[in-house]
Amino acid sequence: MPPPADIVKVAIEWPGAFPKLMEIDQKKPLSAIIKEVCEGWSLGNHENFALQIADATNFYITEKNRNDIKNGSILRLTTSPYQTAVQLHERIQSSSMDAKLESLKDLANASRDITFAQEFINLDGISLLTQMVESGTERYQKLQKIMKPCFGDLLSFTLTAFVELMDHGIVSWDTFSVAFIKKIASYVNKSAMDTAVLQRSLAILESMVLNSQDLYHKVAQEITIGQLIPHLQGTDQDIQTYTIAVINALFLKAPEEKRQEMAHILAQKQLRSIILSNVIRSPTPINDEMAHQLYVLQVLTFNLLEDRMMTKMDPQDQAQRDIIFELRRIAFDVESEPNNSGSIEKRKSMYTRDYKKLGFINHVNPAVDFTQIPPGMLALDNMLYFARHHQDAYIRIVLENSSREDKHECPFGRSSIELTKMLCEILKVGELPSENCHDFHPMFFTHDRSFEEFFCICIQLLNKTWKEMRATSEDFNKVMQVVREQIMRALTLKPNSLDQFKSRLQNLSYTEILKIRQSERMNQEDFQSRPILELREKIQPEIMELIKQQRLNRLCDGTCFRKISSRRRQDKFWYCRLSPNHKVLHYGDLEESPQGEVPHDSLQDKLPVADIKAVITGKDCPHMKEKGALKQNKEVLELAFSVLYESDEYLNFIAPDKHEYCVWTDGLNALLGKEMTSEYTKSDMDTLLSMEMKLRLLDLENIQIPEAPPPIPKEPSNYDFVYDCN
């Protein structure tokens, strides 16, 4: 007979004693269990004791997490979180250097547990640590030369404990003094600083900037880009990552009017070239966190274009009109005519003719073309950059098209405006960086004016594709679609430089795009005749059942989800998987990302599928409503889903990527007997259905399938040919 579900068999350790095997009744109060354990070892004052998981985490067992205990667990009887907090609070103030160092090390480890953290914070522990950082370490400054490693460890453990305590989100970041910020900033500004201290100081500054606008201003006064740059020139990728994270945080939180100024400073300090030579082209492979920070920097840099992208041209502004005159002058090498040369009508006629050759929609007043936002004035900026920095290519394009028939002319002005708009869409100019994206492009770090150079390459591609397609003005949108496809296909190859991007485009001519499209069309060929449609309809339920089984099998394999916190690099994970009989969801926290499947018995929590009421997605999820900052992040919203179960409780998820999101929402809906509606279901259905159709029609290749069934033949005149079995 199996033991009752509420009884858990465990071993409990106590220093200096043999472990005790006992059965824990989960229905009994935790205090009663602790009292029973203490009495077994003749220990009084049981309220001063607690139970811990005896592993690297040393997490305390509480009424909230006691269900994490599973059969065979090893627990440890130890002092209660409150008693431990009091003891460490006293010990870290010891006058003995060795005792202080040991207690700070213990504090750094214990602070990962939220139960302990709450008790230590209640003792005003955060203030004590900040005071130690501000002034407590000063008396050891004189000893720093002779015992530098010890001093570095002392400070490192102090900052580690501080970071771990703040990571629980119990204390507001707004409570810290300028003296504390100055002290942390001083550790970053010093040229020779212990690596661990530098790493934690950078992490603290990033969290301060991201979590408090007031602290942003204080940090910005203490830290300059020039002081951060040297940390990028080392070989420690973690330090480089934290440094770029601080720069990104300062960039992200800077008021709009200061972002351009900050970008100018970054350009002066040659941040781009330093990142290119010391990070991107470093022999050390770029890890995911560094890739994310480079992606964020790329997005924030391109977002500086948003102001120009959303600025309409003022037709009355002479400085802006002069740019259009400059484009005309460079193209046709026109010297400034004296005011009295020719009549006004003659000059207007000449201007109109030239503006028509330049490909503007409004030949009389081209300024009107730049009132569309996006791309606004950004398109004019790109055209001027192309005309000045690639003058020969610019003149060739304008003169080539002005010598063609009107209907075959590729309008440079209109093309530039539409192309700029397209490039802004491709690079998502103006959108906030995604929380989980690592999609940075090395080529954008190879030039100070990478967006303008990107435009120059693409406008020449557009003109080339126009000629290859022998397009007319009616084909303008078709050409733009082909150009978008060429650019997107080249970008997916992640070229290392703009020249490499250019050469990739050379291999993606219009002829090549047609071949790729033809190949894809053949792979996705869909016959529309009635017999084929009937066959599709017949086998569609089989395919849908196959997809459903695949989704459920994937849920049984399980997925590792990342917990969202204010500090990305302190990744915490949890795992969820479906039981093989499809009746229970098993889930639980993990210390690190697993290297394979996690067994059911290591996942402490259970949720019966029968208790699930609904699956909620996107902004309706409770964890999306709670996190205001995430609501702005479109991509995180697209990966969020929640499971509603009894008593209005929720199990909240943020999928690692779009594929896992679709797999889980499909699988959960299938468990509830609902339709699977994700875009991956449609894609899988099309792929599998097409494959199955081709297999079933394999013998009919090159045979014409009639629309109507063949006629039934007439009855034979006799049935003599029938074999008589008798």
Side-chain angles (χ1 to χ4, degrees):
M1 183 176 173
D6 294 317
I7 301 298
V8 183
K9 294 182 177 181
V10 299
I12 301 180
E13 297 176 341
W14 173 250
F18 287 107
K20 180 183 292 187
L21 298 176
M22 69 177 292
E23 294 183 349
I24 291 178
D25 186 350
Q26 293 284 36
K27 290 181 179 178
K28 289 175 66 174
L30 194 58
S31 57
I33 294 169
I34 293 170
K35 183 179 179 182
E36 183 183 337
V37 174
C38 290
E39 288 173 350
W41 274 307
S42 304
L43 299 172
N45 299 324
H46 68 272
E47 62 274 2
N48 292 337
F49 292 92
L51 291 172
Q52 276 181 331
I53 298 285
D55 59 12
T57 64
N58 290 333
F59 283 173
Y60 283 99
I61 303 296
T62 64
E63 290 290 355
K64 286 185 179 179
N65 66 14
R66 62 185 297 176
N67 289 328
D68 296 355
I69 305 171
K70 52 187 179 291
N71 279 319
S73 295
I74 300 175
L75 309 183
R76 182 185 296 118
L77 184 66
T78 185
T79 51
S80 68
Y82 172 74
Q83 290 293 325
T84 307
V86 169
Q87 290 168 13
L88 284 174
H89 194 275
E90 292 173 1
R91 284 169 56 205
I92 62 175
Q93 300 178 72
S94 169
S95 57
S96 164
M97 191 71 161
D98 290 338
K100 194 180 190 78
L101 186 63
E102 195 61 33
S103 57
L104 281 168
K105 184 178 180 180
D106 291 342
L107 178 63
N109 288 327
S111 295
R112 291 180 298 167
D113 187 334
I114 191 169
T115 312
F116 168 84
Q118 186 70 65
E119 297 292 351
F120 190 78
I121 289 168
N122 289 343
L123 294 170
D124 219 12
I126 294 279
S127 297
L128 177 60
L129 291 177
T130 54
Q131 286 166 18
M132 288 172 64
V133 172
E134 288 172 31
S135 58
T137 54
E138 291 295 339
R139 56 185 162 165
Y140 301 110
Q141 294 284 358
K142 294 176 183 177
L143 300 172
Q144 189 174 356
K145 288 184 180 178
I146 57 173
M147 48 196 316
K148 187 174 180 180
C150 186
F151 175 79
D153 288 344
L154 185 82
L155 191 52
S156 170
F157 289 135
T158 305
L159 294 179
T160 303
F162 175 82
V163 168
E164 293 290 354
L165 291 167
M166 290 303 297
D167 198 35
H168 295 297
I170 300 169
V171 179
S172 169
W173 282 94
D174 286 307
T175 57
F176 298 107
S177 66
V178 174
F180 178 70
I181 297 168
K182 284 179 180 290
K183 203 71 182 174
I184 297 297
S186 72
Y187 300 142
V188 174
N189 295 338
K190 284 180 183 174
S191 55
M193 178 51 69
D194 182 83
T195 302
V197 173
L198 176 58
Q199 193 181 82
R200 283 152 184 77
S201 299
L202 288 166
I204 291 168
L205 290 178
E206 183 201 3
S207 293
M208 283 179 169
V209 172
L210 291 176
N211 287 286
S212 168
Q213 194 65 31
D214 184 46
L215 285 182
Y216 155 74
H217 294 293
K218 293 175 182 175
V219 171
Q221 289 172 354
E222 300 299 326
I223 291 288
T224 65
I225 300 300
Q227 290 161 334
L228 291 170
I229 293 290
H231 300 312
L232 291 172
Q233 294 171 320
T235 56
D236 189 320
Q237 191 169 120
D238 284 339
I239 295 295
Q240 292 174 327
T241 304
Y242 278 84
T243 303
I244 296 175
V246 172
I247 293 171
N248 285 338
L250 290 168
F251 218 139
L252 193 62
K253 289 295 179 176
E256 285 187 24
E257 64 274 10
K258 285 196 174 181
R259 285 180 191 168
Q260 293 290 350
E261 180 186 331
M262 188 174 171
H264 182 64
I265 295 169
L266 292 175
Q268 282 183 328
K269 298 294 181 183
Q270 297 185 316
L271 175 72
R272 177 199 59 76
S273 58
I274 288 169
I275 288 175
L276 182 66
S277 57
N278 292 282
V279 178
I280 296 174
R281 291 180 178 168
S282 162
T284 308
I286 292 175
N287 60 33
D288 282 352
E289 184 54 39
M290 174 59 88
H292 172 74
Q293 295 301 340
L294 291 173
Y295 153 78
V296 172
L297 183 60
Q298 173 187 293
V299 171
L300 295 175
T301 304
F302 284 140
N303 280 359
L304 294 169
L305 303 169
E306 185 181 14
D307 183 49
R308 293 294 282 174
M309 181 181 81
M310 301 307 291
T311 301
K312 292 183 180 181
M313 185 171 184
D314 180 3
Q316 307 306 316
D317 188 321
Q318 189 57 43
Q320 295 179 359
R321 291 168 65 86
D322 285 346
I323 298 175
I324 297 176
F325 291 145
E326 176 78 355
L327 290 172
R328 174 178 173 263
R329 185 194 65 74
I330 295 171
F332 304 112
D333 197 23
V334 178
E335 296 297 330
S336 299
E337 303 93 344
N339 289 333
N340 57 358
S341 65
S343 65
I344 295 173
E345 288 77 12
K346 186 178 178 182
R347 272 183 287 144
K348 281 186 177 177
S349 172
M350 188 168 56
Y351 289 165
T352 301
R353 181 199 65 206
D354 288 348
Y355 291 147
K356 184 174 183 296
K357 287 180 181 178
L358 280 169
F360 290 111
I361 298 171
N362 191 317
H363 307 151
V364 179
N365 186 8
V368 176
D369 288 12
F370 300 97
T371 55
Q372 171 196 347
I373 55 171
M377 288 296 292
L378 185 60
L380 188 58
D381 295 343
N382 282 340
M383 292 168 72
L384 184 63
Y385 181 90
F386 181 49
R388 284 179 173 171
H389 294 85
H390 300 271
Q391 198 170 107
D392 291 345
Y394 167 68
I395 293 170
R396 188 181 69 251
I397 286 176
V398 173
L399 295 183
E400 252 184 31
N401 286 295
S402 61
S403 63
R404 290 182 188 158
E405 292 178 56
D406 283 357
K407 68 174 185 175
H408 284 291
E409 179 187 348
C410 176
F412 173 71
R414 183 186 174 192
S415 298
S416 298
I417 292 166
E418 290 301 320
L419 179 64
T420 301
K421 184 180 177 182
M422 180 199 293
L423 297 183
C424 288
E425 289 171 359
I426 290 171
L427 298 176
K428 299 180 179 179
V429 174
E431 291 188 23
L432 285 172
S434 164
E435 178 75 18
N436 300 312
C437 189
H438 309 103
D439 188 26
F440 85 97
H441 292 277
M443 73 176 192
F444 291 130
F445 290 85
T446 61
H447 201 285
D448 288 327
R449 303 287 294 275
S450 59
F451 184 80
E452 289 88 340
E453 288 292 328
F454 186 42
F455 168 84
C456 294
I457 293 169
C458 294
I459 193 68
Q460 293 176 74
L461 167 73
L462 193 153
N463 193 62
K464 174 175 170 282
T465 302
W466 184 283
K467 287 189 290 186
E468 290 171 351
M469 292 178 69
R470 298 177 182 175
T472 63
S473 51
E474 289 82 12
D475 300 322
F476 186 86
N477 290 333
K478 290 180 184 175
V479 175
M480 294 305 292
Q481 287 172 7
V482 173
V483 169
R484 177 187 278 269
E485 188 173 342
Q486 289 170 314
I487 294 169
M488 294 301 290
R489 287 185 185 277
L491 283 177
T492 55
L493 300 170
K494 290 289 176 72
N496 290 320
S497 66
L498 289 161
D499 286 339
Q500 199 175 93
F501 173 69
K502 200 171 183 178
S503 66
R504 295 270 162 84
L505 289 175
Q506 293 293 330
N507 299 327
L508 285 168
S509 63
Y510 176 58
T511 308
E512 188 61 30
I513 291 292
L514 284 180
K515 287 179 183 176
I516 293 170
R517 285 181 174 180
Q518 180 66 21
S519 172
E520 289 176 352
R521 195 178 298 118
M522 286 177 67
N523 290 335
Q524 298 172 0
E525 196 168 7
D526 187 12
F527 302 109
Q528 296 299 319
S529 64
R530 191 162 61 86
I532 302 297
L533 292 175
E534 287 177 2
L535 179 59
R536 280 175 64 91
E537 196 175 323
K538 181 181 177 182
I539 63 178
Q540 197 158 336
E542 300 173 25
I543 302 295
M544 185 57 78
E545 184 60 29
L546 184 65
I547 294 171
K548 177 183 173 182
Q549 288 305 317
Q550 186 272 340
R551 298 291 191 265
L552 294 176
N553 289 342
R554 276 289 295 106
L555 263 61
C556 290
D557 292 341
T559 300
C560 179
F561 297 94
R562 188 171 59 80
K563 290 187 173 182
I564 296 293
S565 68
S566 58
R567 296 171 55 250
R568 285 188 87 256
R569 286 180 303 283
Q570 289 283 332
D571 280 348
K572 294 182 179 178
F573 302 93
W574 68 288
Y575 201 87
C576 188
R577 64 181 298 183
L578 181 66
S579 62
N581 62 6
H582 301 169
K583 291 186 177 180
V584 180
L585 284 176
H586 297 265
Y587 62 96
D589 293 344
L590 299 176
E591 278 302 297
E592 57 185 5
S593 183
Q595 299 300 313
E597 290 184 20
V598 176
H600 293 92
D601 54 6
S602 66
L603 301 173
Q604 306 87 357
D605 298 306
K606 297 178 183 179
L607 172 60
V609 171
D611 291 348
I612 298 176
K613 293 181 179 178
V615 178
I616 301 163
T617 59
K619 61 184 179 182
D620 295 327
C621 298
H623 56 316
M624 291 296 101
K625 291 176 182 175
E626 291 165 10
K627 293 188 176 288
L630 288 178
K631 285 202 293 189
Q632 302 170 3
N633 196 323
K634 181 182 171 185
E635 292 200 27
V636 172
L637 277 174
E638 290 175 352
L639 298 175
F641 62 99
S642 298
V643 171
L644 170 64
Y645 57 99
E646 60 186 11
S647 306
D648 291 332
E649 294 288 329
Y650 292 91
L651 190 58
N652 297 320
F653 300 76
I654 293 180
D657 52 50
K658 191 68 178 177
H659 182 263
E660 288 296 320
Y661 170 84
C662 292
V663 164
W664 274 85
T665 51
D666 281 346
L668 291 168
N669 280 320
L671 286 173
L672 299 179
K674 295 181 179 178
E675 189 179 351
M676 298 184 294
T677 56
S678 80
E679 58 190 65
Y680 277 85
T681 295
K682 184 179 183 304
S683 170
D684 289 350
M685 172 62 78
D686 291 343
T687 304
L688 292 172
L689 199 53
S690 172
M691 192 183 298
E692 183 66 19
M693 292 287 290
K694 287 177 181 178
L695 285 171
R696 296 202 182 191
L697 297 173
L698 202 57
D699 294 338
L700 300 178
E701 193 173 350
N702 298 324
I703 295 176
Q704 187 72 30
I705 300 174
E707 283 294 324
I712 299 172
K714 293 180 181 179
E715 286 192 30
S717 56
N718 64 67
Y719 291 89
D720 293 346
F721 58 87
V722 177
Y723 179 72
D724 189 354
C725 296
N726 298 323

